[in-house]
């Protein structure tokens, strides 16, 4: 789009001026300004916690800002009114699409309009034809891939005549082919003059589809301008802390590397990850760095018997446990605390006691099928005390606990199976600082008891803080390994963004 270079304020679809936002004492946005013109694809990049999602939620009117202004099409928006943002044509496709699974594609797109259905349907079909998109309107949403669900979300936005479309890390859950078709969609939308804010973790994507780029770090924009003005190295500089001073960490690891590893992956492959080899030693915390979507969760789920193994082996304590059913994997001594504890980890309807002890049911020492209520109470109380889980009583429903306390319960539950290795997937995502401290001490406690830990985290600070050693996964493959003394934020960030590769290291 040639006209995107025009910089007069009137031509802007969206203009954010000097926006500040704090949550309590945490200053999350410190004077953000950015513009978006028709046909512009602005890549917004930055590490976890930089403030990207907060800024988008403010633009969407979901959060209110403390000061600053937001203009859409030259009109200033009232603070904190989602309906107004929609009416002005700003639409966000969330990272996890929110469709009604039992409704059809058409019903999902057309829900919530008060215009005649036939008219809407005509407009929808016309739009899809114009864009050359094909998706059967009568399909059930539950049968759609994530990529297709995103298309449905985008169509929802287009029917609302969105002029500004926000895509929050749209490719993090997509396969390679799906990414290609999403890029084509973005190109189509761009040619129709829609402005797009494209949040991503992947630097390569910036050069592939964006016209402009902005890097956010710690609530400020550290670099912005046309993509053609920058090299990859420029972008990396914007991502890394300015003083580049690496936090001194305890460099001596207590792990005895002369012992045989307790856990090993040999050329392990599955959906979303390829040819992964790694070892975890007794009492070791191995950090697995990477960005969301790097393939780590898929790998963990496959180890845990939830997905198909496509190649290689999983060895636990000398035993080959490749492809075993989940219950047998747990029995063998491996447990997994999933990232999405709301969906996978907790049975919301159960109370605290049931939750902490449900994993015991598969512990052979405790009897497989039956646990009496008294025993269950005792075990639960021990975990509640050990982990400072704040509950009003053992009967409190887990769903009503805070995120941090839910997480402590899930980790507690996994421990009750006396595992040799625990895989923790993003153990502190979305929980507050105090609870995070508690979770860290639980992890240390575990390690001190000789349990080995595979720590999946997209929070580089967390990996630096906890790991004895770290590896990085990039696009489903191991691309780097760091000994304790090299586990620092710079190294991990560069590796997670795919900027250091094994070959380059060797060269
Ligand atoms: P990003 O999307 O770049 O990863 P976020 O905008 O999600 O970053 O988060 C930026 C900071 O704001 C983080 O420190 C996060 O903990 C904090 N934060 C985000 N949402 C809330 C909230 N609703 N309440 C309190 N703190 C929040
Ligand atoms: Mg975010």
């Amino acid at each position: 789009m040639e006209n995107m270079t025009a910089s007069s304020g009137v031509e802007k679809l969206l203009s954010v001026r000097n926006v500040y936002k704090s949550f309590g004492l945490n200053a999350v946005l410190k004077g953000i300004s950015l513009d978006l013109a028709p046909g512009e694809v602005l890549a917004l990049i930055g590490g976890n916690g930089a403030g990207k999602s907060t800024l988008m939620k403010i633009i969407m009117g979901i959060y209110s800002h403390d000061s600053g202004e937001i203009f859409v099409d030259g009109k200033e928006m009232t603070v904190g009114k989602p309906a107004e943002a929609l009416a002005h044509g700003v639409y966000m496709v969330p990272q996890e699409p929110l469709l009604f699974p039992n409704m059809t594609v058409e019903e999902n797109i057309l829900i919530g309009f008060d215009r005649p259905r036939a008219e809407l349907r005509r407009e929808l079909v016309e739009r899809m034809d114009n864009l050359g998109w094909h998706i059967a309107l009568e399909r059930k949403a539950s049968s759609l891939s994530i990529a297709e669900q995103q298309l449905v979300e985008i169509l929802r936005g287009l029917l609302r005549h969105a002029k500004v479309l926000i895509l929050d890390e749209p490719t993090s859950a997509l396969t390679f082919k799906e990414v290609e078709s999403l890029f084509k969609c973005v190109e189509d939308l761009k040619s129709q003059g829609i402005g797009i804010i494209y949040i991503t973790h992947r630097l390569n994507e910036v050069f592939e589809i964006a016209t402009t780029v902005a890097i956010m770090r710690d609530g400020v924009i550290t670099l912005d301008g046309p993509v053609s003005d920058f090299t990859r190295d420029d972008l990396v500089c914007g991502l890394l802390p300015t003083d580049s001073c690496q936090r001194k960490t305890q460099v001596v690891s207590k792990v005895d590397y002369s012992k045989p590893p307790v856990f090993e992956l040999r050329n392990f492959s599955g959906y979303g990850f390829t040819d992964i080899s790694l070892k975890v030693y007794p009492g070791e915390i191995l950090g697995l760095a990477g960005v969301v979507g790097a393939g780590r969760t898929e790998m963990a789920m496959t180890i845990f018997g939830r997905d198909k193994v496509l190649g290689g082996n999983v060895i636990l304590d000398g035993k080959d446990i490749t492809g075993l059913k989940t219950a047998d994997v747990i029995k063998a001594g491996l447990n997994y605390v999933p990232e999405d504890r709301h969906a996978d980890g907790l049975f919301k309807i159960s109370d605290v006691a049931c939750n902490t002890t449900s994993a015991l049911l598969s512990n052979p020492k405790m009897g497989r099928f039956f646990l009496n209520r008294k025993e269950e109470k005792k075990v639960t109380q021990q975990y509640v005390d050990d982990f400072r889980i704040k509950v009003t009583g053992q009967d409190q429903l887990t769903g009503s606990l805070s995120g941090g306390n839910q997480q402590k319960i899930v980790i507690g539950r996994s421990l009750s199976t006396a595992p040799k290795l625990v895989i923790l997937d993003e153990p502190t995502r979305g929980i507050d600082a105090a609870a995070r401290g508690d979770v860290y001490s639980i992890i240390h406690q575990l390690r001190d008891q000789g349990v080995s830990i595979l720590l999946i985290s997209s929070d580089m600070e967390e990996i630096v803080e906890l790991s004895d050693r770290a590896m990085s996964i990039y696009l489903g493959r191991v691309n780097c390994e760091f000994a304790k003394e090299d586990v620092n934020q710079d190294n991990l960030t560069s590796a997670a963004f795919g900027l250091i590769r094994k070959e380059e290291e060797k060269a």
Side-chain angles (χ1 to χ4, degrees), residues 47-54 57 95 168-169 199 201:
N48 274 328
K52 306 177 298 289
S53 294
T54 302
K57 285 178 188 158
Q95 203 170 345
D168 195 350
E169 296 192 28
I199 302 181
H201 262 116

Side-chain angles (χ1 to χ4, degrees), residues 145-176:
S145 68
I146 302 268
E148 291 168 326
Q149 293 178 38
Q150 285 178 344
L151 273 193
V152 170
E153 284 276 10
I154 293 173
L155 285 165
R156 255 185 186 174
L158 293 182
L159 268 203
R160 279 163 180 77
H161 303 152
K163 292 176 235 148
V164 175
L165 204 58
I166 300 170
L167 304 175
D168 195 350
E169 296 192 28
T171 57
S172 59
L174 302 189
T175 64
F176 186 71

Side-chain angles (χ1 to χ4, degrees), residues 385-444:
D385 293 345
D386 280 5
F387 299 159
R388 294 202 282 150
I389 300 171
K390 292 181 195 69
V391 291
T392 50
Q394 290 203 356
D395 298 333
Q396 184 179 5
L397 294 183
T398 344
S400 66
L401 292 174
S402 73
N405 284 319
Q406 289 191 15
Q407 179 65 329
K408 286 189 255 173
I409 287 185
V410 181
I411 299 182
R413 198 183 72 171
S414 81
L415 298 189
S416 55
T417 60
K420 299 178 179 111
L421 179 99
V422 178
I423 304 177
L424 298 174
D425 199 343
E426 306 284 4
T428 62
R429 176 124 91 198
I431 70 180
D432 64 56
R436 176 171 309 185
D438 283 349
V439 170
Y440 286 178
S441 58
I442 293 172
I443 294 175
H444 281 134

